[in-house]
Amino acid sequence: RLLIVYPWTQRFFSSFGNLSSPTAIVGNPKVRAHGKKVLTSFGDAIKNLDNIKATYSKLSELHCDKLHVDPENFRLLGDILIIVLAAHLKDFGPACQATWQKLVGVVAHALAYKYH
Amino acid sequence: MLTAEDKKVIQQIWTKVKSHEEEFGAEALERMFISQPQTKTYFPHFDLSHGSDQIRAHGKKVAAALTTAVNSIDNLSQALSELSNLHAYNLRVDPPRFAFQFLAQSLQVVLAVHLGKDYTPEVHAAFDKFLSGVAAVLSEKYR
């Protein structure tokens, strides 16, 4: 959805092959694989809720030094993750949304923390 | 900007919202107030408790304004001109980018919860574009 709703984010994924349409993006195996990687990493945050900054320290350096990703994109992805959760879970009430908005904010902050 | 397909999708989805305007708007506002507490600073005169009459009334207003926008999708600037003045000169919700973006997020979450898998990536993209368009018009006269 990030690649569809905010197409300029495709700039980070030039090696992913065909991203020319929503259908292409949804069917792209590299996109799926990367989605899995990202969500798995999110899972690490959830297992280490008291220590998210440390959990993402290396990833933060990677996103800055090697990937050159503007941290604004972490916020965009966080908001999209919440919309996906909302669409899949019938039970995503206001308190649940609020908690998740906080979590994605903390993760985005941690990912941006080592930028220099 | 909005393609013909986007506009069609938005209008189709919006017919489902129209009959629940009040609940839709109220739920979005409530979610926004809880997720982004700083947005409450613009409503010190409101009872912001769950189900409050003021939230329901305001939610209805917001949803009705969006209905106007959907019906005038080719001419947002003119259709929302009064609202644009109101936000720029009276309400001065600040900064325009961020505050409207918080409401837009909550509006989309409400749509997603209610539409489930019908809130497809294409529908999501169309609404995201539409809501940014509305936010841009509401911010037009700020300076």
Side-chain angles (χ1 to χ4, degrees):
Chain A
R1 289 191 184 231
L2 182 74
L3 299 169
I4 292 170
V5 179
Y6 306 115
W8 55 90
T9 56
Q10 292 172 25
R11 70 189 292 276
F12 301 111
F13 301 100
S14 48
S15 65
F16 274 29
N18 186 6
L19 298 176
S20 58
S21 70
T23 315
I25 291 171
V26 166
N28 185 313
K30 289 192 175 177
V31 171
R32 286 187 78 83
H34 199 68
K36 184 174 178 180
K37 223 191 229 182
V38 169
L39 258 286
T40 303
S41 170
F42 228 86
D44 289 339
I46 294 182
K47 287 181 216 151
N48 292 285
L49 285 174
D50 288 327
N51 209 357
I52 295 187
K53 274 215 195 89
T55 304
Y56 280 115
S57 179
K58 289 264 167 277
L59 263 181
S60 181
E61 288 170 1
L62 179 77
H63 280 77
C64 174
D65 301 328
K66 294 271 161 23
L67 304 176
H68 311 294
V69 177
D70 181 343
E72 173 65 12
N73 293 290
F74 307 146
R75 194 190 57 73
L76 290 180
L77 183 57
D79 276 354
I80 288 203
L81 177 59
I82 285 173
I83 290 178
V84 173
L85 283 174
H88 277 92
L89 305 170
K90 283 294 118 186
D91 221 345
F92 195 67
C96 194
Q97 178 191 347
T99 305
W100 273 83
Q101 299 276 178
K102 281 204 236 178
L103 176 62
V104 301
V106 167
V107 170
H109 179 77
L111 273 173
Y113 197 65
K114 290 308 200 65
Y115 272 58
H116 59 95
Chain B
M1 264 324 282
L2 290 171
T3 63
E5 186 57 34
D6 288 334
K7 294 178 193 178
K8 203 176 79 177
V9 149
I10 291 167
Q11 279 158 344
Q12 261 168 12
I13 298 283
W14 204 257
T15 55
K16 299 185 194 178
V17 173
K18 271 192 70 176
S19 46
H20 309 284
E21 253 179 16
E22 193 178 281
E23 292 92 346
F24 173 75
E27 188 181 338
L29 283 173
E30 184 184 17
R31 284 176 180 271
M32 182 188 74
F33 290 140
I34 296 175
S35 298
Q36 309 293 347
Q38 69 274 28
T39 57
K40 295 194 289 186
T41 60
Y42 294 97
F43 298 90
H45 52 299
F46 265 33
D47 165 15
L48 294 178
S49 56
H50 176 67
S52 93
D53 287 333
Q54 285 174 310
I55 294 191
R56 291 186 76 79
H58 201 69
K60 187 172 182 182
K61 252 191 216 177
V62 169
L66 285 171
T67 300
T68 302
V70 170
N71 292 338
S72 315
I73 208 162
D74 288 319
N75 202 355
L76 286 181
S77 197
Q78 193 175 52
L80 299 177
S81 178
E82 272 316 299
L83 264 182
S84 182
N85 287 336
L86 183 72
H87 283 78
Y89 304 124
N90 295 54
L91 303 176
R92 292 170 295 186
V93 168
D94 183 349
R97 283 184 300 142
F98 296 128
F100 297 141
Q101 160 224 301
F102 296 140
L103 181 56
Q105 171 72 355
S106 282
L107 284 163
Q108 291 206 64
V109 170
V110 178
L111 282 172
V113 166
H114 285 93
L115 295 174
K117 59 175 171 53
D118 288 339
Y119 201 64
T120 64
E122 289 88 341
V123 171
H124 179 168
F127 264 97
D128 198 281
K129 286 199 249 177
F130 168 64
L131 291 172
S132 335
V134 170
V137 165
L138 288 177
S139 314
E140 241 167 31
K141 299 173 189 169
Y142 270 64
R143 56 177 174 170

